[in-house]
Amino acid sequence: MQPNKEQTNTEMAQVEKIIGVILQIGVLISAIIIGIGLLLLLFTGHSGYSGQNFPTHFGAIFHGLIQFKPFAIIMLGIFCLILTPVLRVVVSIYAFAKENDRLYVAITSTVLIILVFAMILGYLDI
């Protein structure tokens, strides 16, 4: 039994609202984390790293977080900001699957694969 068009439109409106909230929360959390890092940088007067060094890998970021290094906290905020649209793509895949729109599930899944592949390549410094 196929859902009627009004029910589908209502469900899609709810999914779009959820996606909007996810984006808002992701940006807000990122901004708060970056703000904490900037305040810590302002109050301590140093980044926690020598010269022009800053953490670029997950291990270095988390190690810096344990030591409350301002640049590590800022990098965590930037990482959260990067993951926000990725989460939006994942929610979109779910929305298109629920709507039984196989073409858009395939397209959005391809976009997710490209995003993950690019993030892995960036992490490996290739």
Side-chain angles (χ1 to χ4, degrees):
M1 184 174 161
Q2 292 283 344
N4 64 22
K5 188 169 178 99
E6 183 178 319
Q7 181 183 4
T8 302
N9 288 341
T10 303
E11 289 174 355
M12 286 310 295
Q14 290 172 341
V15 169
E16 289 173 9
K17 188 173 183 176
I18 291 169
I19 288 171
V21 169
I22 287 171
L23 291 173
Q24 289 173 348
I25 290 172
V27 169
L28 183 63
I29 289 172
S30 300
I32 290 170
I33 294 170
I34 291 170
I36 291 169
L38 289 173
L39 285 174
L40 191 57
L41 179 63
L42 180 68
F43 289 127
T44 62
H46 61 86
S47 68
Y49 296 93
S50 61
Q52 295 293 322
N53 295 331
F54 55 92
T56 57
H57 291 83
F58 298 122
I61 291 171
F62 291 121
H63 185 70
L65 287 174
I66 293 169
Q67 298 173 345
F68 292 105
K69 293 184 176 183
F71 274 17
I73 295 170
I74 292 168
M75 289 300 289
L76 176 66
I78 292 170
F79 180 68
C80 289
L81 189 62
I82 291 169
L83 287 182
T84 299
V86 175
L87 182 58
R88 188 245 189 266
V89 172
V90 171
V91 173
S92 295
I93 292 171
Y94 169 76
F96 292 134
K98 189 164 174 109
E99 194 178 274
N100 293 323
D101 194 339
R102 291 186 177 138
L103 176 63
Y104 281 106
V105 168
I107 291 170
T108 312
S109 297
T110 303
V111 169
L112 180 63
I113 290 167
I114 291 169
L115 285 171
V116 170
F117 186 67
M119 288 173 63
I120 290 170
L121 286 178
Y123 180 75
L124 296 175
D125 291 327
I126 295 178

